[in-house]
Amino acid sequence: MQPTLFSSIHLTVSQLTFHIRKQLENDPTLQDVWVEGEISNLSRPASGHIYFTLKDKNAALKCMMWKQDAGRSRVNLQDGMAIEAHGRITVYEPQGTYQLAVNLIQPKGEGALYQEFLRLKALLEAEGLFEIDRKRPIPAQPRVVGIVTSGTGAALRDMINTLRRRLPLVQVLLVTSPVQGVEAPPALVKALQSLNSLPMISDHPTPDVILLARGGGSIEDLWAFNTEQVVRAVADSKIPVICGVGHETDFTLSDFAADLRAPTPTAAAELATQTTLDDLRDLLTSYSSRLASSILDLTAEQKAFIFALRSRLKYVSPERRIQSEYQQLDEFLRRAFSAMDHRIQLQSNYVNGISRRLFSLSPEGILLRGYAIVTRIEDGAVVSKVAQARGEMKVRVSDGEFGIKCDVSSKNCES
Amino acid sequence: MAKSKIATKPIEELSYEEALTELESIVESLEGGQNSLEDSMKLFERGQALASYCGVLLESAQLKVQKLAGENISAFEEESE
């Protein structure tokens, strides 16, 4: 086109650039846009802002990300990486360039998945699958722990090591399943169902809790846990489910449907064993000491009781009675002896009197009073009458005897 | 009534949980102090046996890992590092 020298529009560079800027910045499409491309010329100067170029086969777009947005980004940017960047188009006037001021970056493909995530989340949420009321308590001390995870990989090893360290009394029942790829969702569903229908297929005790786990990965890697069939199987499980998928920042719909969400597989195993071996040791120690002290209490009680009984027994003991009986007996004896003494005294007085009387009646006593006993020598007969006197006779007086001769002529009989 | 508290099941047939539950009820019963002396002594002896049994189980516990595949349950061999 031939320039019109007399065109009415004459602008300085600044004015034109300002005009372009106004055009771009007033376009709503350019102010809230997702742009898909591959990173190149990535530069991270000391300022903390990030500069790169997004390009595809035919075009390139200068991009910059302010320090505060860059700090929030969880994507580790690298040249060649396919990403989706969200931001607005701005114009850098000193260089006359336009650029995308990026505030959010996600790996390519995540956007569509995220939309699907939100759609399914809203759907299942409306059905009430994520209600708090549905959450069942996790048993503090499970006997059997079901694990659904990949048979290879760190997640299984981490969970088994954690369970072994915390509560080796536990029995683990493992169902291995692919955890990514198209075969993962139906396999995960089948694994959850087989643990739930265990009594029908074996006599193994049913798990008290199920750990559904997977190690970290990209959102595509974790996607099986966002599929409707897996989320529903988690919600349908009769056995409480702890979901530990990916890392702390990863949330899956299975997490929402599970009875408990764990940030990692290891954490899932920890949450499944709230009571640990140490807790059980402590509990046992406390029972043992309570047992010992209860029996000590009982023994002390019994001792006190026996002591009380013993003193009461002493009080009612026949010993006192025996003592008092003894006393009475002593008294009786004393009285008996005293009575006997009295009798003996009386008897002895009597005997003395009798002896005195007896003595006074003895021939010796009579002789003392001047009487004499005359006996005939010839026959020893006592001469008590005159007629008996004849021959030689013996006269006994108090202190001896002497002989006499009878003078018959002088016999004189009084009667 | 106190009699019935003295279980007769041999201790070695109990699971850890059963043994611990019984130990707990024995401790509570003894602390309640409603038993005859003779029953108390029996409960105490049973309690001591249960406590040492639980202790042995705790210290000798080995995590048992089994694998369920279809309808088959088998021991799971962990990969060595």
Side-chain angles (χ1 to χ4, degrees), chain A residues 298, chain B residues 1-8 22 25-26 28-30 32-44 46:
Chain A
L298 184 69
Chain B
M1 175 204 147
K3 284 270 182 220
S4 69
K5 282 184 195 167
I6 302 170
T8 47
E22 192 187 331
S25 75
I26 284 177
E28 280 168 5
S29 166
L30 281 175
Q34 297 298 311
N35 304 296
S36 70
L37 183 61
E38 192 189 349
D39 282 349
S40 292
M41 294 312 295
K42 282 184 188 160
L43 283 171
F44 175 71
R46 175 93 178 164

Side-chain angles (χ1 to χ4, degrees), chain A residues 367 395-402:
Chain A
L367 294 184
V395 176
R396 183 155 177 229
V397 292
S398 67
D399 59 343
E401 51 188 35
F402 56 88

Side-chain angles (χ1 to χ4, degrees), chain A residues 110-128:
Chain A
E110 220 170 73
L113 289 177
Y114 188 63
Q115 292 307 314
E116 170 62 9
F117 178 91
L118 291 181
R119 185 195 68 77
L120 193 57
K121 180 165 181 273
L123 177 78
L124 300 176
E125 206 158 35
E127 277 184 37

Side-chain angles (χ1 to χ4, degrees), chain A residues 58-274:
Chain A
N58 303 315
L61 171 68
K62 282 186 179 296
C63 297
M64 65 86 53
M65 199 172 190
W66 295 110
K67 183 183 178 182
Q68 54 266 41
D69 292 325
R72 277 201 297 272
S73 175
R74 62 185 176 86
V75 182
N76 186 19
L77 300 181
Q78 276 165 357
D79 277 330
M81 182 184 256
I83 62 159
E84 293 167 0
H86 178 268
R88 59 193 178 87
I89 295 294
T90 63
V91 173
Y92 184 53
E93 294 171 48
Q95 300 213 346
T97 56
Y98 68 92
Q99 59 187 9
L100 185 68
V102 177
N103 60 9
L104 198 62
I105 288 176
Q106 60 191 23
K108 187 184 164 189
E110 220 170 73
L113 289 177
Y114 188 63
Q115 292 307 314
E116 170 62 9
F117 178 91
L118 291 181
R119 185 195 68 77
L120 193 57
K121 180 165 181 273
L123 177 78
L124 300 176
E125 206 158 35
E127 277 184 37
L129 242 61
F130 306 151
E131 291 290 322
I132 297 289
D133 296 354
R134 287 181 53 97
K135 313 284 182 205
R136 287 154 301 189
I138 306 300
Q141 194 194 324
R143 293 181 60 184
V144 181
V145 173
I147 293 183
V148 176
T149 193
S150 165
T152 57
L156 177 59
R157 202 171 53 238
D158 289 350
M159 286 188 284
I160 286 179
N161 287 341
T162 304
L163 293 174
R164 178 175 291 132
R165 172 171 52 82
R166 286 173 64 88
L167 192 61
L169 288 172
V170 151
Q171 281 186 46
V172 173
L173 189 56
L174 168 71
V175 187
T176 57
S177 162
V179 290
Q180 67 187 67
V182 285
E183 70 274 34
L188 290 170
V189 170
K190 195 165 161 253
L192 287 170
Q193 284 170 350
S194 69
L195 284 176
N196 270 281
S197 57
L198 205 53
M200 287 152 75
I201 58 178
S202 77
D203 57 356
H204 194 280
T206 300
D208 303 297
V209 62
I210 294 175
L211 308 183
L212 175 64
R214 190 209 186 285
S218 69
I219 187 169
E220 288 95 339
D221 291 342
L222 307 184
W223 195 252
F225 297 88
N226 284 323
T227 56
E228 186 169 349
Q229 55 178 321
V230 172
V231 179
R232 286 194 188 280
V234 170
D236 285 346
S237 174
K238 290 180 199 69
I239 303 167
V241 175
I242 301 176
C243 190
V245 172
H247 295 303
E248 266 172 66
T249 49
D250 300 319
F251 275 86
T252 65
L253 293 181
S254 292
D255 286 328
F256 292 114
D259 296 280
L260 189 62
R261 183 222 175 221
T264 61
T266 299
E270 282 169 356
L271 290 169
T273 49
Q274 290 156 55

Side-chain angles (χ1 to χ4, degrees), chain A residues 143 151 157 160 164 168 170-174 176 204 277 281 283-284 287-288 290-291 294-295 298, chain B residues 17 20 24 27 30-31 40 44 47-48 51 54-55 58-59 62-64 66-68 73 78-79 81:
Chain A
R143 293 181 60 184
R157 202 171 53 238
I160 286 179
R164 178 175 291 132
V170 151
Q171 281 186 46
V172 173
L173 189 56
L174 168 71
T176 57
H204 194 280
L277 189 62
R281 284 199 188 105
L283 186 65
L284 196 57
Y287 279 155
S288 295
R290 278 168 69 189
L291 192 65
S294 78
I295 208 72
L298 184 69
Chain B
E17 290 76 10
L20 193 73
E24 180 181 23
V27 168
L30 281 175
E31 288 175 340
S40 292
F44 175 71
Q48 275 193 316
C54 285
L58 276 189
E59 297 319 318
Q62 298 269 350
L63 189 77
K64 188 175 157 196
Q66 292 171 303
K67 186 173 171 178
L68 170 67
I73 292 176
E78 288 171 63
E79 312 157 47
E81 304 265 335

